[in-house]
């Protein structure tokens, strides 16, 4: 009984208990919000996720994924620009009913707001039969820029390995 009385005196009765509950609830909400802000995805992990979503988009023959990732000033081999890269992807999607893209380990060099990702990519294309009609392995180097928390592909070079 003494503990209950001490609690009631310490916290107050009626309105005091309600205020205490409100203060604790607000504090709890603020702690949850602060913790979620601290657990933001690190830049390298976001870049790796972007590379993975680009890979999946290509395998699904979804040109909108490429459009979403390519920076406005994208540049590739032989002065390939953003529009040209989109046209090549769409042509590949029309030519091959099935596209496979497997990436080797991705190495990332991260600088503030910029990154370089290097990997090996095995590309296959076919009509949907068991064996692909075309296959090639490439060494790929990509340049990235962070814009409003999103990674945009600014450059890409690739060299055939077969």
């Amino acid at each position: 009984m003494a503990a209950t009385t001490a609690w009631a005196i310490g916290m107050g009765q009626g309105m005091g208990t309600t205020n205490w509950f409100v203060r604790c609830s607000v504090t709890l909400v603020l702690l949850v919000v602060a913790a979620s802000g601290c657990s933001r995805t690190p830049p390298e992990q976001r870049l790796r996720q972007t590379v993975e979503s680009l890979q999946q988009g290509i395998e699904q023959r979804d040109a909108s994924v490429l459009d979403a990732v390519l920076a406005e000033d994208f540049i590739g081999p032989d002065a390939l620009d953003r529009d040209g890269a989109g046209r090549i992807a769409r042509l590949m999607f029309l030519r091959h009913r099935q596209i496979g893209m497997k990436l080797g380990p991705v190495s990332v060099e991260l600088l503030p707001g910029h990154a370089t990702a290097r990997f090996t990519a095995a590309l296959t294309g076919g009509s949907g039969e068991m064996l692909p009609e075309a296959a090639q392995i490439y060494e790929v180097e990509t340049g990235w820029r962070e814009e409003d928390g999103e990674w945009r592909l600014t450059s890409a070079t690739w060299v055939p390995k077969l």
Side-chain angles (χ1 to χ4, degrees):
M1 183 73 172
T4 306
T5 305
W7 180 82
I9 292 170
M11 300 314 298
Q13 294 180 355
M15 280 302 239
T17 304
T18 302
N19 287 338
W20 177 82
F21 178 75
V22 169
R23 278 186 280 156
C24 286
S25 298
V26 169
T27 302
L28 182 60
V29 168
L30 290 174
L31 287 173
V32 168
V33 169
S36 67
C38 293
S39 66
R40 284 191 342 211
T41 307
E44 182 175 340
Q45 186 177 350
R46 284 195 329 270
L47 176 58
R48 290 179 182 279
Q49 291 169 343
T50 301
V51 170
E52 185 178 319
S53 70
L54 183 57
Q55 173 194 1
Q56 291 171 355
I58 289 171
E59 287 185 322
Q60 295 169 359
R61 302 171 58 229
D62 182 1
S64 68
V65 172
L66 189 63
D67 293 338
V69 171
L70 287 178
E72 290 295 325
D73 59 345
F74 171 82
I75 189 75
D78 299 322
L80 180 70
D81 65 1
R82 183 179 201 277
D83 293 336
R87 282 193 297 274
I88 288 173
R90 285 174 181 79
L91 178 63
M92 187 173 74
F93 297 159
L94 288 173
R95 185 173 186 189
H96 300 289
R97 199 170 73 181
Q98 235 178 4
I99 295 174
M101 182 177 185
K102 302 298 179 217
L103 302 184
V106 178
S107 71
V108 174
E109 291 177 30
L110 201 60
L111 297 169
H114 295 277
T116 301
R118 293 179 184 87
F119 50 88
T120 302
L123 287 171
T124 59
S127 61
E129 301 296 322
M130 186 177 301
L131 295 175
E133 297 162 0
Q136 182 61 267
I137 297 176
Y138 297 93
E139 287 294 325
V140 181
E141 182 174 316
T142 57
W144 299 83
R145 178 177 57 236
E146 194 172 22
E147 298 175 356
D148 299 324
E150 300 290 327
W151 286 104
R152 300 288 179 241
L153 184 60
T154 58
S155 66
T157 57
W158 53 90
V159 177
K161 292 313 241 183
L162 283 180

